[in-house]
C-alpha cells in the first residue's frame, strides 16, 4: 500500500468537478468530482452501470460532458478534450472492451498509437519491436507477435490491451477491469507493474470488481453509486465488507451454502472423457439440484472440457450421459435441444449481437417458444419474458429496445445470462459467470443460480475465483494439467486452504 | 508458426494456387493461351480494371464500399472532354491532373455524404451511382464523343515485339499507368501511417476513434483515393477505346468488386492486400480469357465468378475465424 501518494503536497494530475452525462433517459453521471494525484494508484469502485467507464470516456474525449463540467488535466484547464489530445497529454487507457483491432497483428495492435496522426509519414510495420518485446517480458508473457489478434484467446487479447497502454510514456493510465480474463499469475505481474509505475510517478486509475485486489493495490478509492459520488476514501483501514456497503448501500454476508445432494438422481454423468492434448480421463457426476464447482488455473483444461460437453469439440474417448442416456452432441444447437446451456467465458464477443436490442438478444435462443398461434413472434410473450429476466437479474437498462452496446459491461453479461436461463435447460454450464460483475450483482446472480438449483437444475460452475466456487458450490473439483486432481467439500475447507492447493 | 506456412493458408495463397492451376491447364489445353500476343492483350484489357481495383481496395479496407466509381469514371471523361475543349487541347500531364482532380472531387462527394449523414456507404454510393448516371445521360443526351484531342487517342506503346511469324505483341501506356497506381497504393496502405490508420478504422471504427484516428480524414482519404483511381482509369480507358460513350462503363463496378473480394479484401473492413487484389483481377481476367479460348458461352463467366465468390467467402469464414482460434485454444492447453 502506498501512503506517500496521500501526502497533501503531491500535485494533482487530474481534477474534475461537477461532471454530468446523460444518455437518453439514463443519467450515467450526476455531478461527480474526481481527483488523481501524481504517482497515485486510485481505484474507481461501484456497481455495474454506476458510470465508471463513462467517467473514463469523458476524460479521454470519447464523450463530451455536460457544460457544467470543470476539468483540469496536468494543471491545464480543458474545455473539450479529444481522444488525440488526451493521448498527447500522456493519458493511456486499457478499455473494458479492449478496443483492439482483430485483423491486425499483435505487434501492430500494441504499437498502434504511433500510427495516429493526420500528416502522412512513412512507418515501418514492426518497428519498435524491441519495446513491444520488453513490455511483454515485464508482463511475464510470450506472444506470437505476427499472429492476427483474432486468433488469440480472450486472455491473451487482454494482455495485448495492457501492453498497448504501457507503450509510450503515459503519465496517467486508466485501467478498466484490466484483469477480468487473466490468470492469477498474470494478474500478479500486472499489479507489480502498477506498483512500479506508481513508484516512477505515473498515476494509475484502476477499476476492478475484485475488491481484495482493489484494497491491495490502491491508496485511495472513489466510490460511485448510480452515477452519483458516494465519496473518496483512503484504503488504509478499509475492509471489503465496508467497501461493498459503500458501493451497494447494503451489507452482504458470504457463507458456505453447500448441501449434500448425493441422494438425488444424476443428471450428467461423464466417464473417462478424453480429448488428447486438452484433458484426460475425466469422470464425474452432477446430480439434480447440485452445483458442482470446477476450478483450476486458466489452461488447466476446464474450458476445453466444457466445449466437449456442449458439442463444440469432439472427445476422443469416453462417454457423456444426460439423464441416463448417452449423448453425443455434434453442435451447440443440438446441445441446447438436449437441454444443455452454456454461458461462455468470452461472452462479450461470442454471446451478444451488439447492435441489436436487449430484448432481441435475450430472447434469441428461445424464439420458438415465443411464437403465437400462427407462427409469428409474439411481441407480448417476448416482452413478458424479457421483463421477467430483467427483473430477476436486476439488469439496469433504459429501454428493452435499446441496443446492447449501450449497456455497461457488467449489465451486458447479465443479458447473456438471461438469454441462456430463458432456455430452461436441465444442465447449465457457467464458465466464469461473474467476470466483471459487481459484488452486489454477483450475490444476485448466485441467488438466482441457487434458486434454479433448488428447482432441480444441475449446474456446472467453472471459475478460478476461489471464493466464488467455495461459497456457491455443493462440491468442488480441481483440475490441473487436463486431469481432475482432487475433490473438496466446501464445508470442510477454507478460502486459504483452497488457494494454496490451486496456486501452489 | 513459420511465416511461409501462414501465407499459404491465406486467401492470397490459395488464389495463387488456383491461378497457377488455371494457367497450366489453359497452356496445355489451348495453343493460343501461352503466347506473348495473348498475354500482352490480357494485360492491356485489364489494366483499367486493376487501376480501379486498387482504388476500391482502399475503400474496402476502410470498411466501406463504392458502387459509383465506374459511372464516376464516365462523368470524369465527359467533364475532361469539356475542360480540354476550354483549354484548347491539353496534354498528358494536364490529362492526369484534370482527371485525377475531378475524380477526387466526385469521391469526396461520397465521403462528405457518408460522414456528414452517418449513412452506410453502400446506400450513399448507390444513390450517387444513380445520380451520376442520370445527370450524365441527361446532359450528354446519350451522345458519344469521337472528336478527341490527338494526344489522348494516340497509341503509346511501352513495349513492342514482332514474332518470327510476323505477329505483333505490345503493351499500352495503360499498363504502365496501372503499375504506377498499384505501386503508389501499395506504399500508401503498407508503409504510411495513414494506410495503417485506414486498416484500423475499417477493422474497429470505435477503437480507432478512441485512439484518436481522424475519422473524417479516413473517409475522405478512402473515397478520394477511389475517386482519383476512377478518374485515372477513365482517362486510360479513352486512350484504349478512342471514344467516350456515356454508358460504356456502366456495370463494370461489379466485375471489379468481385475481383477485389475474391482477392481477400473483407467486406466490412480491416483486411485486404495489394497482392490479393492483383490476383483477384488476374483470376477474373484469366477465367474470361480461358472461356473465350475454349469456346465456352460467355454466360458461363458470370456463373463461375458467382460460384468463386461463394466458395471464397465460405471457405475464408471456415478457416479464418474458427480454425485459428481452435489452434489458439490448443496452444494454450499445451502450455
Ligand atoms: N453510449 C451509451 N448510450 C446509452 N447509454 C449508455 C451509453 N454508455 C453508457 N450508458 C449507460 O450509462 C450507465 C453507466 O455505464 P458505464 O458503462 O459507465 O458503467 P460502468 O460503471 O462502467 O459499469 P460496469 O462495471 O458494468 O462496466 C449505464 O446505465 C449504461 O447503460
Ligand atoms: Mg464499465
Amino acid at each position: 500500500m502506498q501512503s506517500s501518494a496521500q501526502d497533501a503536497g503531491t500535485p494533482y494530475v487530474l481534477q474534475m468537478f461537477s461532471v454530468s452525462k446523460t444518455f437518453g433517459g439514463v443519467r450515467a453521471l450526476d455531478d461527480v468530482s474526481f481527483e488523481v494525484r501524481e504517482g497515485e494508484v486510485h481505484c474507481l469502485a461501484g456497481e455495474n452501470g454506476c458510470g465508471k467507464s463513462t467517467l473514463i470516456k469523458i476524460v479521454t474525449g470519447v464523450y463530451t460532458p455536460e457544460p457544467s463540467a470543470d476539468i483540469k488535466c496536468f494543471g491545464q484547464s480543458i474545455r473539450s478534450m479529444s481522444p488525440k489530445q488526451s493521448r498527447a497529454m500522456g493519458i493511456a487507457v486499457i478499455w473494458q472492451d479492449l478496443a483492439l483491432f482483430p485483423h491486425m497483428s499483435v505487434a501492430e495492435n500494441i504499437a498502434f498509437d504511433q500510427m495516429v496522426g493526420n500528416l502522412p509519414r512513412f512507418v515501418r510495420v514492426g518497428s519498435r519491436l524491441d519495446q513491444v518485446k520488453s513490455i511483454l517480458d515485464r508482463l511475464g508473457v510470450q506472444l506470437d507477435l505476427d499472429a492476427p489478434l483474432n486468433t488469440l484467446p480472450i486472455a491473451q487479447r487482454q494482455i495485448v490491451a495492457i501492453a498497448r497502454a504501457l507503450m509510450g510514456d503515459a503519465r496517467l493510465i486508466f485501467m478498466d477491469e484490466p484483469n477480468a480474463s487473466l490468470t492469477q499469475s498474470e494478474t500478479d505481474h500486472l499489479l507489480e507493474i502498477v506498483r512500479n509505475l506508481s513508484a516512477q510517478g505515473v498515476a494509475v486509475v484502476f477499476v476492478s470488481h475484485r475488491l481484495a485486489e482493489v484494497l491491495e493495490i490502491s491508496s485511495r478509492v472513489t466510490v460511485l453509486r448510480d452515477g452519483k459520488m458516494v465519496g473518496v476514501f483512503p484504503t488504509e483501514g478499509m475492509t471489503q465488507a465496508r467497501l461493498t456497503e459503500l458501493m451497494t448501500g447494503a451489507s452482504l454476508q458470504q457463507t458456505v451454502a453447500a448441501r449434500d445432494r448425493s441422494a438425488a438422481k444424476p443428471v450428467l454423468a461423464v466417464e473417462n472423457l478424453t480429448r488428447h492434448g486438452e484433458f484426460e480421463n475425466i469422470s464425474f457426476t452432477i446430480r439434480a439440484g447440485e452445483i458442482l464447482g470446477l476450478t483450476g488455473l486458466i489452461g488447466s483444461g476446464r474450458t476445453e472440457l466444457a466445449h466437449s460437453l456442449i458439442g463444440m469439440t469432439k472427445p476422443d474417448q469416453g462417454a457423456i450421459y444426460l439423464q441416463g442416456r448417452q449423448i453425443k452432441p455434434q453442435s451447440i444447437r443440438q446441445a441446447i435441444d438436449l437441454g444443455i446451456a452454456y454461458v461462455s467465458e468470452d461472452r462479450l464477443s461470442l454471446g451478444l449481437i451488439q447492435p441489436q436490442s436487449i430484448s432481441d438478444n435475450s430472447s434469441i435462443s428461445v424464439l420458438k417458444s415465443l411464437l403465437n398461434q400462427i407462427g409469428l413472434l409474439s411481441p407480448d410473450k417476448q416482452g413478458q419474458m424479457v421483463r421477467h429476466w430483467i427483473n430477476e437479474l436486476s439488469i439496469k437498462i433504459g429501454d428493452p429496445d435499446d441496443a446492447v452496446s449501450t449497456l455497461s459491461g457488467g449489465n451486458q453479461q447479465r443479458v447473456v445470462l438471461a438469454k441462456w436461463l430463458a432456455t430452461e435447460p436441465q444442465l447449465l454450464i457457467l464458465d466464469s459467470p461473474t467476470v466483471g460483475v459487481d459484488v452486489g450483482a454477483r450475490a444476485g446472480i448466485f441467488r438466482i443460480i441457487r434458486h434454479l438449483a433448488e428447482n432441480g437444475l444441475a449446474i456446472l460452475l467453472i471459475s478460478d475465483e476461489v471464493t466464488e466456487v467455495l461459497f456457491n458450490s455443493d462440491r468442488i473439483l480441481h483440475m490441473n494439467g487436463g486431469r481432475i486432481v482432487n475433490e473438496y467439500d466446501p464445508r470442510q475447507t477454507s478460502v486459504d486452504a483452497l488457494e494454496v492447493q490451486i496456486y501452489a | 508458426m513459420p511465416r511461409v506456412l501462414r501465407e499459404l493458408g491465406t486467401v492470397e495463397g490459395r488464389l495463387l494456387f488456383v491461378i497457377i492451376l488455371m494457367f497450366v491447364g489453359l497452356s496445355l489445353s489451348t495453343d493460343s493461351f501461352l503466347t506473348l500476343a495473348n498475354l500482352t492483350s490480357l494485360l492491356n484489357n485489364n489494366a483499367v480494371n486493376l487501376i480501379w481495383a486498387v482504388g476500391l481496395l482502399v475503400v474496402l479496407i476502410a470498411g466501406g464500399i463504392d458502387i459509383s466509381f465506374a459511372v464516376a469514371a464516365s462523368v470524369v471523361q465527359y467533364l475532361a472532354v469539356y475542360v480540354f475543349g476550354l483549354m484548347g487541347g491539353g496534354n498528358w500531364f494536364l490529362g492526369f491532373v484534370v482527371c485525377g482532380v475531378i475524380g477526387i472531387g466526385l469521391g469526396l462527394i461520397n465521403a462528405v455524404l457518408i460522414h456528414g449523414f452517418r449513412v452506410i456507404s453502400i446506400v450513399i454510393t448507390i444513390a450517387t451511382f444513380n445520380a451520376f448516371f442520370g445527370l450524365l445521360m441527361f446532359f450528354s443526351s446519350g451522345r458519344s464523343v469521337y472528336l478527341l484531342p490527338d494526344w489522348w487517342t494516340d497509341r503509346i506503346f511501352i513495349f513492342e515485339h514482332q514474332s518470327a511469324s510476323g505477329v505483333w505483341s505490345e503493351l499500352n501506356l495503360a499498363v504502365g499507368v496501372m503499375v504506377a497506381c498499384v505501386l503508389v497504393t501499395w506504399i500508401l496502405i503498407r508503409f504510411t501511417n495513414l494506410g495503417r490508420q485506414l486498416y484500423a478504422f475499417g477493422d474497429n471504427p470505435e477503437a480507432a476513434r478512441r485512439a484518436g484516428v481522424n475519422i473524417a480524414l479516413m473517409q475522405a482519404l478512402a473515397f478520394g483515393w477511389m475517386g482519383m483511381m476512377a478518374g485515372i482509369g477513365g482517362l486510360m480507358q479513352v486512350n484504349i477505346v478512342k471514344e467516350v460513350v456515356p454508358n460504356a462503363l456502366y456495370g463494370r463496378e461489379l466485375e471489379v468488386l468481385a475481383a477485389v473480394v475474391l482477392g481477400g479484401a473483407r467486406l466490412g473492413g480491416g483486411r485486404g492486400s495489394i497482392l490479393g487484389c492483383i490476383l483477384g483481377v488476374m483470376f477474373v481476367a484469366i477465367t474470361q480469357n480461358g472461356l473465350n479460348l475454349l469456346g465456352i458461352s460467355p454466360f458461363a463467366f458470370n456463373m463461375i465468378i458467382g460460384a468463386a465468390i461463394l466458395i471464397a467467402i465460405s471457405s475464408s469464414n471456415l478457416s479464418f475465424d474458427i480454425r485459428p482460434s481452435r489452434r489458439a485454444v490448443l496452444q494454450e492447453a499445451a502450455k
Side-chain angles (χ1 to χ4, degrees), chain A residues 328-483:
Chain A
K328 290 179 176 165
Q330 304 290 325
S331 66
I332 300 184
R333 187 71 250 166
Q334 255 185 37
I336 294 176
D337 290 343
L338 287 166
I340 303 178
Y342 175 60
V343 179
S344 76
E345 190 182 23
D346 182 12
R347 62 190 74 70
L348 283 187
S349 66
L350 291 180
L352 291 174
I353 307 164
Q354 292 280 344
Q356 288 197 6
S357 71
I358 297 160
S359 161
D360 288 349
N361 263 294
S362 48
S363 52
I364 191 160
S365 48
V366 289
L367 287 178
K368 254 190 235 158
S369 66
L370 301 176
L371 301 183
N372 58 19
Q373 293 92 328
I374 53 168
L376 294 177
L377 191 63
S378 153
D380 287 348
K381 282 189 188 173
Q382 189 186 18
Q384 218 174 1
M385 190 217 85
V386 171
R387 270 194 306 279
H388 170 75
W389 287 112
I390 287 173
N391 281 335
E392 281 281 310
L393 299 178
S394 40
I395 306 177
K396 188 187 169 198
I397 61 167
D399 188 310
D401 290 328
D402 289 346
V404 156
S405 56
T406 66
L407 289 181
S408 79
N411 279 306
Q412 291 189 7
Q413 299 203 2
R414 295 186 212 187
V415 174
V416 184
L417 267 178
K419 169 180 136 181
W420 287 107
L421 292 178
T423 64
E424 298 179 4
Q426 302 173 23
L427 170 68
L428 177 63
I429 303 177
L430 299 163
D431 199 346
S432 317
T434 59
V435 165
V437 174
D438 67 58
V439 274
R442 279 176 197 219
I445 286 174
F446 281 113
R447 228 178 1 255
I448 295 159
I449 292 174
R450 182 57 65 185
H451 178 71
L452 292 166
E454 268 153 20
N455 291 336
L457 187 65
I459 294 168
L460 179 62
L461 169 64
I462 303 177
S463 171
D464 62 353
E465 273 193 61
V466 169
T467 46
E468 191 165 289
V469 273
L470 184 74
F471 292 130
N472 298 294
S473 317
D474 297 323
R475 265 187 315 135
I476 302 171
L477 297 181
H478 175 196
M479 254 181 113
N480 192 0
R483 292 169 187 277

Side-chain angles (χ1 to χ4, degrees), chain A residues 11-14 34-38 40 42 172 203 205 220:
Chain A
Y12 287 107
V13 289
L14 176 70
F34 183 58
E35 294 178 305
V36 187
R37 288 204 173 98
E38 195 179 290
E40 170 184 39
H42 194 126
L172 169 58
V205 176
R220 292 193 303 162

Side-chain angles (χ1 to χ4, degrees), chain B residues 289-326:
Chain B
N289 185 241
L291 291 175
N292 245 328
L293 297 177
L294 293 170
I296 299 173
S297 151
F299 294 112
F301 170 72
N302 294 336
M303 291 193 303
I304 291 177
I305 297 299
I309 290 182
L310 286 180
I311 293 171
I313 288 179
S314 53
S315 72
S316 66
N317 271 344
L318 286 179
S319 55
F320 283 86
D321 290 334
I322 296 177
R323 227 196 277 144
S325 61
R326 289 265 339 116

Side-chain angles (χ1 to χ4, degrees), chain B residues 20 44 51 56 60 79 105 118-119 177 180 186 227 229 254 281 325:
Chain B
I20 292 174
N44 290 333
I51 293 173
L56 187 57
L60 285 180
L79 291 176
R118 317 272 152 169
V119 177
V177 174
W186 183 56
M229 291 302 160
L254 293 184
V281 172
S325 61

